[in-house]
Amino acid sequence: MLKREGVYPCPVLGLSLFFCFESYRLGLGHVGAPGSGFLTFWVSLVVGLLGVVLFLQERGKKLVKDVIPLFKGKNLRNIIM
């Protein structure tokens, strides 16, 4: 059986890198006078960072699978009191 959880962020990262590169080629300008690729560059950069976060979360699920919750089977009301 093929595990695909870690594969889903890869197209997002690839598209993000493509759009970052193409936006940079259009010209970024600066904050006072933005160029053609200013907005698309920053949006694709944020989407790429979210793809990295998604990838790290998927890898973390495999590592945290065997962790037992701290208050499992305990009455939370008694603990708070």
Side-chain angles (χ1 to χ4, degrees):
M1 185 169 163
L2 182 66
K3 301 226 176 200
R4 297 182 182 180
E5 292 93 12
V7 179
Y8 292 127
C10 293
V12 172
L13 292 173
L15 283 172
S16 175
L17 286 173
F18 172 74
F19 281 112
C20 276
F21 178 72
E22 292 299 321
S23 298
Y24 184 77
R25 283 185 40 195
L26 283 174
L28 298 179
H30 53 82
V31 178
S36 308
F38 185 79
L39 182 63
T40 54
F41 177 79
W42 290 108
V43 169
S44 61
L45 190 68
V46 168
V47 169
L49 290 174
L50 291 175
V52 168
V53 168
L54 181 64
F55 179 74
L56 292 175
Q57 282 181 343
E58 290 296 329
R59 287 193 47 102
K61 284 181 185 177
K62 295 175 188 171
L63 298 174
V64 180
K65 210 177 237 185
D66 298 328
V67 176
I68 299 170
L70 182 62
F71 298 115
K72 183 177 182 181
K74 309 265 189 314
N75 190 353
L76 192 59
R77 187 173 139 221
N78 289 341
I79 293 171
I80 293 173
M81 294 293 201

